[in-house]
């Protein structure tokens, strides 16, 4: 259901439903304020495959990144590529 009142009844042999994706971001939100980068990514460093140097919170010790479908509706390959780029310099 998409929230509209539109209804149509027709016979079909098969139905494929694409319902989209909604990121589950509760854990990300919970960790965000405790991360050193506050979730920020330096895109120039990312594309150059350099370590992420964004420092917005000196009181904590871990970086936090959102990847894959948590960024936008994409596929598993995009998530793997994001993870590879971000972790390559660790």
């Amino acid at each position: 259901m998409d929230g509209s009142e539109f209804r149509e009844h027709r016979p079909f042999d098969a139905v494929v439903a694409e319902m989209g994706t909604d990121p589950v971001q509760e854990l990300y939100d919970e960790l965000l304020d405790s991360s050193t980068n506050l979730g920020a990514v330096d895109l120039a460093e990312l594309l150059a495959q350099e370590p992420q140097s964004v420092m917005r919170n000196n009181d904590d010790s871990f970086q936090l990144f959102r990847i894959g479908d948590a960024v936008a509706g994409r596929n598993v390959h995009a998530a793997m590529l994001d993870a590879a780029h971000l972790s390559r310099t660790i």
Side-chain angles (χ1 to χ4, degrees), residues 1-45:
M1 302 300 235
D2 64 2
S4 71
E5 297 296 320
F6 176 79
R7 300 289 183 267
E8 183 176 349
H9 298 276
R10 296 175 25 189
F12 293 98
D13 293 330
V15 175
V16 176
E18 195 288 297
M19 305 302 286
T21 57
D22 289 325
V24 178
Q25 66 182 45
E26 287 82 10
L27 180 59
Y28 177 85
D29 290 341
E30 186 176 319
L31 295 172
L32 188 61
D33 291 336
S34 299
S35 65
T36 57
N37 62 323
L38 299 178
V41 174
D42 183 309
L43 294 179
E45 290 176 345

Side-chain angles (χ1 to χ4, degrees), residues 24-82:
V24 178
Q25 66 182 45
E26 287 82 10
L27 180 59
Y28 177 85
D29 290 341
E30 186 176 319
L31 295 172
L32 188 61
D33 291 336
S34 299
S35 65
T36 57
N37 62 323
L38 299 178
V41 174
D42 183 309
L43 294 179
E45 290 176 345
L46 180 68
L47 294 173
Q49 297 182 11
E50 296 173 353
Q52 290 291 304
S53 64
V54 176
M55 184 66 74
R56 295 185 174 170
N57 180 5
N58 295 323
D59 297 334
D60 289 295
S61 61
F62 66 91
Q63 292 178 306
L64 182 65
F65 302 104
R66 191 184 309 212
I67 64 171
D69 280 350
V71 175
R74 301 183 297 172
N75 59 32
V76 68
H77 300 101
M80 292 170 59
L81 184 60
D82 288 347

